[in-house]
Amino acid sequence: MKAYELIEWLNEHHPQKFAEEWDNVGLLVGDDQKEVSHVFLALDLTEPVLDEAVAAGADMILTHHPMIFSGIKKINNHTFTGRKILRLIREDIPYFAMHTNYDVIGMADLSANYLKLQDTKVLSVTDESGEQQEGFGRVGKLPHPMTLAEFGKYVKACNGLADVRVYGDLDRKIETVAICTGSGKSMIRDVMAAGADVYVTGDIDYHTAIDTMADGLAIVDAGHYGTEYIFAEAMEKELKKAFPKLKTTCASVKNPYTVL
């Protein structure tokens, strides 16, 4: 198929209208007339990931996080972004990113399903134009109550993580959970308004954590990577179902930090 045909399907199932205004999604580099038979999927397009995609013989790359967020005045080999753009062009590989639009239509339900949350609702509503509300994150009930300590271990197990940071009384009973993948600090007020016992997200800084604990909300910081690396595998399943003849490869799962 042509790249634009796959892009049309992606935009139909994860519409770009749900992306935030500050975001940069869609075809960021490349020719949408390129014939595509092998899609490489990753959370981020780092230089090692690009090496991996080229070695795998991929002819299109799809990531969650865009490698280009703001305007670029120079494209050369002196910056890591410039080097990646030059390589993508040289290798003739179209590069597509689906970020906050996928967070709303995709990642929110996916992350809630990983924790087996029940009776879920949207955490932070961003769109009410359709038959149902859409937005970032989800709030729901656990399959059964557990302590915060047990819940922290539960998050680790459900997401296959080496570690999480838990803020709050470890003996506290947890029933209602809010989750927003990536960096969810800005939605803490939404979490508290929803009456959640605990908030699962990433990138929580020290002062935010202690202030939130003082307000009576527990936090499980599972990391930006730890809450979003699930993107590649989930998108691969979608593509395999929609396009059985399309070859797909996921980037190696590599946490950017090491637990010592």
Side-chain angles (χ1 to χ4, degrees), residues 20 31 69 93 95 102 107 152 167 186-187 194 227 245:
E20 294 288 274
D31 184 349
F69 268 110
I93 300 176
Y95 165 57
Y102 184 82
M107 192 77 85
Y167 299 92
S186 64
M187 295 173 202
T227 57
K245 294 183 179 180

Side-chain angles (χ1 to χ4, degrees), residues 171-227:
D171 294 324
R172 177 180 178 176
K173 286 293 183 181
I174 300 298
E175 295 185 60
T176 303
V177 176
I179 182 168
C180 183
T181 61
S183 183
K185 180 174 74 170
S186 64
M187 295 173 202
I188 285 177
R189 291 302 164 195
D190 294 318
V191 175
M192 298 188 72
D197 301 314
V198 65
Y199 184 29
V200 181
T201 189
D203 295 347
I204 294 296
D205 62 86
Y206 171 80
H207 292 288
T208 297
I210 61 174
D211 289 347
T212 301
M213 288 169 59
D215 276 337
L217 177 65
I219 291 178
V220 174
D221 187 336
H224 201 126
Y225 179 88
T227 57

Side-chain angles (χ1 to χ4, degrees), residues 56-122:
D59 44 33
M60 184 169 178
I61 296 174
L62 174 59
T63 69
H64 181 45
H65 295 140
M67 75 169 186
I68 303 170
F69 268 110
S70 55
I72 300 176
K73 292 186 176 181
K74 296 179 181 179
I75 299 174
N76 56 45
N77 65 321
H78 297 162
T79 67
F80 57 85
T81 299
R83 289 192 296 270
K84 287 184 288 187
I85 293 172
L86 291 171
R87 181 125 188 242
L88 286 165
I89 294 171
R90 186 166 61 247
E91 301 285 353
D92 192 19
I93 300 176
Y95 165 57
F96 189 89
M98 44 197 306
H99 189 209
T100 50
N101 55 318
Y102 184 82
D103 283 332
V104 172
I105 308 296
M107 192 77 85
D109 284 327
L110 178 65
S111 60
N113 291 339
Y114 262 71
L115 298 183
K116 301 178 176 62
L117 299 186
Q118 303 168 354
D119 303 321
T120 58
K121 61 181 181 180
V122 176

